[in-house]
Amino acid sequence: MKHRIYPLDRIAITVMAILTILIGLIIMGGDHAVPIVRDFSWQEKRVGMEDTAFILSFNRTMDWPKVEENLTLTPELPGKLSWSGRRLAYTLTEPMPYGTEFKVQLSQVEEVGLSPNVQPKVMQPFAGTFRSRDRAYVYIGVNGEESGRLILQNLTQDQKTILTPNDLVVTEFKPYPYGDRILFSATAKRLVSEGEFNPKLYTVTTGLQANPPDLNNSSQKPPGEIEEVLDNQRYQILKFDLAADGSRIVVQRALKEGAGLGQVSLWQLPTGKSIQLLEKVEGGNFLIAPDSRSLVIAQGQGLAILPLEGSENDQPLEFLPKFGMVLSFARDGSAATMLKFNPDFTKSLFLVTTQGQQTELLKTSGSILRATFDPKKQFLYCLLTQVSAGEEYVEIPYLATIDLATQKETRLLNLPNQRDTTMALAPDGSALLFDQAIEASPNNPEISQTNQGSSVTTSNLWILPLDSSNQQPASVGSGIDPQWLP
């Protein structure tokens, strides 16, 4: 009996024969695929200071010394290369300037030869782009329709935006890590006009695009979209801090009624969860550590480092009895600045590392208001005060740097006789931003208030450039509590 061959069988046999011939030709002719860059981890991304390396992935193992020789970044961005298999990592060695578009190009590079008899192939030329985040800062307005409102100043786009409505008076704020949102506390203006400050917590969008390398999809929302985060019905919000990764908020609150009237407690609000009381946690000044999972808080005669994740019976991770306040952390969490209150009524600024080293950087009879690490952790930028020589006790503020290697203090700028001053260092280390508030008279108090609680008539904002030879401050408008977006 003959096996009948159907038309569909003939087609299948013909296709298989053609494929077999093609595969044989490819095998005999060798691999003709051209080396290419398959993936660039920063392609069309918005990159910030926390992003320290990009990766180029190839479809072939390349001649890495030639890659190093031919890879170009425009404008130049110093870094070092390392490679493993078919992946190349470029790690930055200098801070990335904000508000800049970069081009990455690579050409005229061959793959590693498979054998002496096979000519290595030259890769297809590659060109990629990425941008650093815009140079932008936020402050609280003090004049006219801006009074008590959050204002965004985008230096890269030369654009100013009022973020919060006229019926809210902002008292404090913290930017989220990508700069696309801001967490802030605010009280209704009608209550403020009656002398009552009883804030709620809100978030507001900035309108800036968050497109970081660690997110696949990014959405850009318009500025000014407000969402309530925490109400003030049972508790008065006294102070809050936002984790470096935006994953949680820690809030200090006081009970407004009942048997525990005025009792102060600490709470945490993880993203997407309900607010949680931090059991058995008492103290004063606090900051969330850079790991976003622990809290540094003043307790008794020292500072305690407490876990924010785990059971309520967890013991403190560490206790530092010498210090009374933590001022700031290095971005990578390897060091912190802490304040010691001495028996002779002076104050000392200490550098404390995770290795347990404690170095006194400064001792003063004045005040140590701010201490911020530069991006390379070589200097501290400080806002300090000096007690004037005379019968009346007066503290005169000034800006200074401290070399962390030599402990040498260098004065940058003397400020007028106005203690209510705040200072912020740009994330790329390019400039200092500071305010100089003019207090309102007792008979004419204004809505806006400084961090010290003083009502102000107006306040001037200044930028002091640090990356040029002309380090002279420039006036940039009016406002208080300026902060750079990260």
Side-chain angles (χ1 to χ4, degrees):
M1 177 177 166
K2 282 187 175 182
H3 179 70
R4 184 176 179 184
I5 300 178
Y6 293 95
L8 189 60
D9 293 331
R10 292 192 184 97
I11 295 173
I13 293 169
T14 302
V15 170
M16 286 189 289
I18 293 172
L19 289 176
T20 302
I21 294 170
L22 289 176
I23 292 171
L25 291 174
I26 291 173
I27 293 173
M28 289 186 292
D31 186 359
H32 293 280
V34 176
I36 61 171
V37 173
R38 277 185 168 170
D39 181 66
F40 172 36
S41 62
W42 285 3
Q43 178 65 22
E44 300 297 336
K45 294 293 186 177
R46 293 269 179 160
V47 180
M49 288 304 295
E50 70 275 13
D51 303 305
T52 57
F54 65 74
I55 294 175
L56 292 173
S57 300
F58 298 79
N59 67 334
R60 292 287 184 271
T61 302
M62 305 302 295
D63 184 345
W64 297 124
K66 282 292 185 181
V67 171
E68 185 169 358
E69 182 180 330
N70 288 276
L71 183 69
T72 61
L73 277 79
T74 310
E76 184 179 355
L77 194 56
K80 58 183 180 180
L81 286 83
S82 58
W83 49 83
S84 175
R86 298 178 179 180
R87 291 159 57 92
L88 172 79
Y90 189 90
T91 304
L92 306 185
T93 55
E94 295 289 334
M96 181 190 311
Y98 272 33
T100 306
E101 182 175 22
F102 295 90
K103 293 182 179 180
V104 180
Q105 294 175 299
L106 180 62
S107 61
Q108 302 300 314
V109 179
E110 296 178 346
E111 65 178 333
V112 173
L114 299 177
S115 68
N117 299 325
V118 177
Q119 179 65 32
K121 298 178 181 64
V122 178
M123 71 167 286
Q124 177 180 317
F126 168 77
T129 61
F130 66 92
R131 288 188 61 89
S132 56
R133 292 181 189 144
D134 288 352
R135 297 185 71 225
Y137 60 87
V138 178
Y139 60 93
I140 301 174
V142 294
N143 296 329
E145 68 169 7
E146 296 182 0
S147 183
R149 302 169 74 178
L150 274 184
I151 315 293
L152 167 66
Q153 182 67 57
N154 189 324
L155 299 178
T156 301
Q157 307 296 333
D158 192 21
Q159 187 176 25
K160 178 179 176 180
T161 308
I162 299 177
L163 299 177
T164 54
N166 190 43
D167 61 348
L168 290 178
V169 176
V170 178
T171 51
E172 189 178 359
F173 65 95
K174 309 278 184 183
Y176 275 82
Y178 299 138
D180 59 329
R181 289 186 301 155
I182 295 173
L183 176 69
F184 69 96
S185 59
T187 303
K189 181 177 284 189
R190 60 178 179 79
L191 295 178
V192 174
S193 62
E194 298 171 359
E196 181 181 351
F197 280 86
N198 188 18
K200 298 180 182 179
L201 277 185
Y202 304 87
T203 61
V204 63
T205 55
T206 63
L208 300 180
Q209 184 178 16
N211 188 22
D214 56 351
L215 291 181
N216 292 326
N217 298 315
S218 65
S219 59
Q220 184 174 6
K221 295 184 178 180
E225 291 189 357
I226 289 181
E227 182 179 342
E228 184 178 314
V229 175
L230 187 62
D231 63 40
N232 57 3
Q233 293 183 1
R234 292 191 59 203
Y235 294 89
Q236 182 177 15
I237 298 170
L238 304 177
K239 179 179 171 58
F240 67 91
D241 194 25
L242 176 66
D245 63 1
S247 63
R248 73 186 73 234
I249 305 165
V250 172
V251 188
Q252 187 183 63
R253 304 197 293 178
L255 194 61
K256 294 169 64 175
E257 57 187 20
L261 177 66
Q263 182 178 347
V264 176
S265 53
L266 277 181
W267 304 71
Q268 69 167 324
L269 182 58
T271 300
K273 298 181 180 180
S274 58
I275 194 165
Q276 306 164 3
L277 176 65
L278 293 174
E279 300 279 359
K280 302 178 183 178
V281 177
E282 297 178 357
N285 183 274
F286 66 89
L287 284 177
I288 302 177
D291 64 4
S292 300
R293 296 187 300 274
S294 55
L295 188 74
V296 182
I297 183 169
Q299 288 191 339
Q301 299 298 315
L303 291 175
I305 303 176
L306 306 171
L308 288 172
E309 296 178 348
S311 71
E312 63 182 55
N313 296 319
D314 286 347
Q315 297 299 310
L317 302 174
E318 193 173 356
F319 186 74
L320 303 168
K322 182 188 293 186
F323 306 107
M325 181 183 297
V326 58
L327 291 177
S328 63
F329 297 99
R331 181 182 297 274
D332 61 2
S334 62
T337 58
M338 297 186 181
L339 205 57
K340 179 187 176 186
F341 299 96
N342 301 313
D344 60 358
F345 301 104
T346 61
K347 305 173 188 70
S348 293
L349 177 65
F350 273 78
L351 175 70
V352 181
T353 69
T354 52
Q355 287 77 34
Q357 296 176 326
Q358 300 178 3
T359 306
E360 186 178 35
L361 302 174
L362 174 72
K363 187 175 182 180
T364 178
S365 56
S367 295
I368 303 170
L369 303 176
R370 294 281 192 282
T372 304
F373 290 88
D374 83 311
K376 298 178 70 175
K377 296 185 296 181
Q378 295 177 344
F379 297 93
L380 281 180
Y381 285 90
C382 302
L383 175 60
L384 310 169
T385 69
Q386 178 181 355
V387 178
S388 63
E391 295 183 1
E392 185 179 359
Y393 182 87
V394 178
E395 292 188 52
I396 302 173
Y398 66 96
L399 301 175
T401 62
I402 298 177
D403 188 318
L404 294 178
T406 64
Q407 290 87 58
K408 179 183 177 183
E409 177 190 339
T410 302
R411 189 169 297 214
L412 291 177
L413 186 67
N414 293 316
L415 303 175
N417 186 8
Q418 174 52 262
R419 190 177 184 276
D420 282 349
T421 299
T422 60
M423 175 206 78
L425 177 66
D428 60 0
S430 62
L432 282 173
L433 186 64
F434 62 95
D435 62 6
Q436 292 179 293
I438 301 173
E439 291 188 14
S441 65
N443 298 326
N444 186 29
E446 297 291 329
I447 287 177
S448 299
Q449 290 194 333
T450 66
N451 285 339
Q452 285 75 28
S454 304
S455 298
V456 299
T457 301
T458 189
S459 178
N460 299 318
L461 293 176
W462 300 82
I463 284 183
L464 178 64
L466 301 172
D467 56 356
S468 67
S469 57
N470 181 27
Q471 293 187 356
Q472 295 297 322
S475 177
V476 290
S478 302
I480 57 175
D481 194 21
Q483 296 182 41
W484 294 94
L485 291 184

